[in-house]
Amino acid sequence: LARTLKITLSYDGTEFAGWQRQAHARTVQAVLEDALKPIEKGPVGVMAAGRTDAGVHAAAQVASVSLHVAISCHELRRALNATLPADVRVLAVEEMPERFSARRDARLKTYHYAIWNGATIPPFLRHYAWHVPQALDADAMNVAASLLVGEHDFAAFQGRGGDVKTTVRRITVSTIGAVHVPELVKTPADARLLRYEVAGTGFLRHMVRNIVGTLTDVGRGRTRIDEVRGILDSRDRSQAGPTAPPHGLVLWQVEY
Amino acid sequence: LARTLKITLSYDGTEFAGWQRQAHARTVQAVLEDALKPIEKGPVGVMAAGRTDAGVHAAAQVASVSLHVAISCHELRRALNATLPADVRVLAVEEMPERFSARRDARLKTYHYAIWNGATIPPFLRHYAWHVPQALDADAMNVAASLLVGEHDFAAFQGRGGDVKTTVRRITVSTIGAVHVPELVKTPADARLLRYEVAGTGFLRHMVRNIVGTLTDVGRGRTRIDEVRGILDSRDRSQAGPTAPPHGLVLWQVEY
């Protein structure tokens, strides 16, 4: 009898070519499916809430999978963590109704994006935060970020290769501010860690990174706060800022 | 004219075979000397406040160096950070009296040791915290830690291969408690990040890691608090606990 399981997992995206299985590249999907295969004793296909790009991290990605094997959720979690590489950890396994899909049933996704704003990026953050040495006006960035809340056509923030029916999305949270620096880091007086938090019903390809690039232009004074609404309304990618690098991005939470 | 400079640097020890130059191994000393050589246009020897072992990190290691080249401290910092690999960053360069030695003149060193106490270690902490899944009594560990403050013969906590005149050291701070978890990590309710902080005039080989192994035995209930004083008094390495792994350890600060 087939059963559907929800697997919550965390991964360090640094050494992955993203979520989605590809020939000749190490991906999270492949690593997870390869760990499930000997347990199921047969081929396994997992579906993620959202595919993450190369270098992007997950604090709590969600995947759904259909299995036949009789193993408790607790035992499956233990077995997976015993075989998975250390840069992927299963946080939870839950039994779900058969029709559950991690992608289709996701109600709200939250991403975090970290920016190290200081002259020198601590070595411990080099894979986890974008280094922006120039002065940033975080208050202006936060006002600009708030303009994105609501239902909008985010075509101006969609990266190339996006393939969706509609570019309209609803954003419920969009804020940026300074956060606590990890314990490993001795922070100079003139440096800080900024975090952009965004939650929404769905996101276009590269949308969070394009928003962060645009907000950073606001922080640098290249773009005025009142221009952000115009960029959004233009639905023109060339009006928005650069794509922020993948390694500052973390899929933080998926709600169902 | 020779000048003496103080270089404060941070490094991620994960991909280093420690501080000290070795044939056929990547070390922080070698990487730093190799970066200084083309600037000085000649051979350069740096001296560290304390040699760190393979896998051990530094939030702020201090090295001293004698150079002849006429370059400002600001420019030297920029030039070094432009050529050094991303897992080593120079935080500061300062002009010092000619006789300054990072090792000899160090007055107080502070180390931090991180323990992830929970069922599953987040992938982001795998190189920066020791994973102890068993329940730990952090209050008992903290009481035991406090017994080490003062001037004592720490022979029981000295690793093999230590080569020093005296094993007496003075510890000024020795505490352990829960600290803030890095922003990347979603912490389960039953997990926490513990940090041992220890400051002293000097440390024996593996001393901090042997103390942490012993404190963890206390936390697990393998060793009673009142046995810790006996372990110290025994001056016998076999009485103390195991050596905690290197990757939880950070050289936090050196004071002059």
Side-chain angles (χ1 to χ4, degrees):
Chain A
L1 219 69
R3 51 203 284 231
T4 301
L5 299 175
K6 176 186 174 194
I7 301 177
T8 306
L9 66 162
S10 178
Y11 47 85
D12 180 330
T14 309
E15 288 169 26
F16 285 106
W19 168 267
Q20 196 171 21
R21 189 183 270 274
Q22 300 170 37
H24 318 300
R26 184 175 185 260
T27 70
V28 185
Q29 182 184 11
V31 155
L32 181 59
E33 287 176 354
D34 292 353
L36 283 162
K37 201 172 159 183
I39 298 168
E40 172 73 351
K41 298 188 176 72
V44 176
V46 299
M47 168 71 78
R51 289 173 293 199
T52 50
D53 291 323
V56 173
H57 313 287
Q61 168 75 282
V62 176
S64 51
V65 64
S66 172
L67 292 183
H68 292 85
V69 64
I71 184 172
S72 74
C73 290
H74 179 77
E75 274 307 309
L76 181 59
R77 180 186 163 181
R78 268 177 38 112
L80 286 172
N81 281 334
T83 54
L84 282 167
D87 51 355
V88 187
R89 292 290 90 187
V90 171
L91 305 181
V93 178
E94 295 158 84
E95 207 83 41
M96 298 300 281
E98 201 188 323
R99 299 176 65 90
F100 171 76
S101 157
R103 179 156 66 172
R104 211 180 40 236
D105 297 335
R107 217 169 34 76
L108 200 76
K109 283 179 208 156
T110 303
Y111 286 91
H112 289 177
Y113 193 98
I115 297 173
W116 180 262
N117 188 214
T120 307
I121 187 164
F124 311 105
L125 293 179
R126 69 194 190 284
H127 299 309
Y128 310 111
W130 182 22
H131 182 205
V132 179
Q134 299 87 353
L136 289 177
D137 181 343
D139 292 335
M141 291 170 78
N142 194 39
V143 174
S146 71
L147 300 177
L148 303 177
V149 173
E151 191 168 278
H152 302 286
D153 185 335
F154 285 95
F157 297 99
Q158 183 181 31
R160 282 178 200 197
D163 173 27
V164 286
K165 280 180 226 145
T166 167
T167 48
V168 173
R169 293 291 183 275
R170 194 162 62 82
I171 295 299
T172 58
V173 174
S174 176
T175 60
I176 187 162
V179 292
H180 198 281
V181 166
E183 286 295 331
L184 282 160
V185 174
K186 242 183 135 68
T187 313
D190 58 350
R192 58 188 170 163
L193 184 61
L194 297 176
R195 186 189 67 183
Y196 176 56
E197 175 170 3
V198 62
T201 51
F203 292 87
L204 304 169
R205 185 174 156 83
H206 294 175
M207 178 169 150
V208 180
R209 291 162 58 193
N210 289 337
I211 289 172
V212 169
T214 305
L215 294 178
T216 304
D217 275 356
V218 171
R220 285 168 163 144
R222 284 186 197 160
T223 300
R224 293 192 320 272
I225 294 172
D226 59 19
E227 288 175 297
V228 172
R229 177 67 75 174
I231 291 168
L232 187 62
D233 290 344
S234 77
R235 297 156 62 187
D236 174 4
R237 173 69 189 93
S238 72
Q239 299 295 306
T243 307
H247 65 275
L249 187 60
V250 186
L251 172 55
W252 180 254
Q253 182 169 268
V254 187
E255 288 165 78
Y256 290 91
Chain B
L1 219 70
R3 50 203 283 232
T4 301
L5 298 176
K6 176 186 173 194
I7 301 177
T8 305
L9 66 162
S10 178
Y11 47 86
D12 181 329
T14 309
E15 289 167 27
F16 285 106
W19 168 266
Q20 196 170 22
R21 190 183 270 276
Q22 299 170 38
H24 318 300
R26 183 175 185 259
T27 70
V28 185
Q29 183 184 11
V31 155
L32 181 58
E33 288 177 352
D34 292 353
L36 283 162
K37 202 171 159 182
I39 298 168
E40 173 73 351
K41 297 188 176 72
V44 176
V46 299
M47 167 72 78
R51 289 173 293 198
T52 50
D53 290 324
V56 173
H57 313 287
Q61 168 75 283
V62 176
S64 51
V65 63
S66 172
L67 293 182
H68 291 84
V69 65
I71 184 172
S72 73
C73 290
H74 178 77
E75 274 306 308
L76 181 59
R77 180 186 163 181
R78 268 176 39 112
L80 285 171
N81 281 334
T83 54
L84 282 167
D87 51 353
V88 187
R89 293 290 89 189
V90 171
L91 305 181
V93 178
E94 295 158 83
E95 206 82 42
M96 298 300 282
E98 201 188 323
R99 299 176 64 91
F100 171 75
S101 157
R103 179 154 68 170
R104 211 179 42 236
D105 297 335
R107 217 171 31 77
L108 199 76
K109 282 179 209 158
T110 303
Y111 286 90
H112 289 177
Y113 193 99
I115 296 173
W116 180 261
N117 188 214
T120 307
I121 187 165
F124 311 106
L125 293 179
R126 71 194 189 281
H127 298 309
Y128 310 110
W130 182 23
H131 182 205
V132 179
Q134 299 88 352
L136 290 177
D137 181 342
D139 292 335
M141 292 171 77
N142 194 39
V143 174
S146 72
L147 301 177
L148 303 177
V149 173
E151 191 168 278
H152 304 286
D153 185 335
F154 285 96
F157 297 99
Q158 183 180 31
R160 280 178 202 199
D163 172 26
V164 286
K165 281 179 225 146
T166 167
T167 48
V168 173
R169 293 290 183 276
R170 194 161 63 82
I171 295 297
T172 59
V173 174
S174 176
T175 60
I176 187 162
V179 291
H180 197 283
V181 165
E183 286 294 330
L184 281 161
V185 173
K186 241 182 136 67
T187 314
D190 58 350
R192 58 189 170 163
L193 184 62
L194 297 176
R195 186 189 66 185
Y196 175 56
E197 176 169 4
V198 62
T201 52
F203 292 88
L204 303 169
R205 185 174 157 83
H206 294 175
M207 178 169 149
V208 180
R209 292 162 56 192
N210 290 337
I211 289 173
V212 170
T214 305
L215 294 178
T216 304
D217 275 356
V218 171
R220 285 168 164 144
R222 284 186 197 160
T223 301
R224 293 193 320 272
I225 294 172
D226 59 18
E227 287 175 298
V228 172
R229 177 67 74 174
I231 291 169
L232 187 62
D233 289 346
S234 75
R235 297 157 62 187
D236 174 4
R237 173 68 189 93
S238 72
Q239 300 295 307
T243 308
H247 64 275
L249 187 59
V250 186
L251 172 54
W252 180 253
Q253 183 168 268
V254 188
E255 288 165 78
Y256 291 90

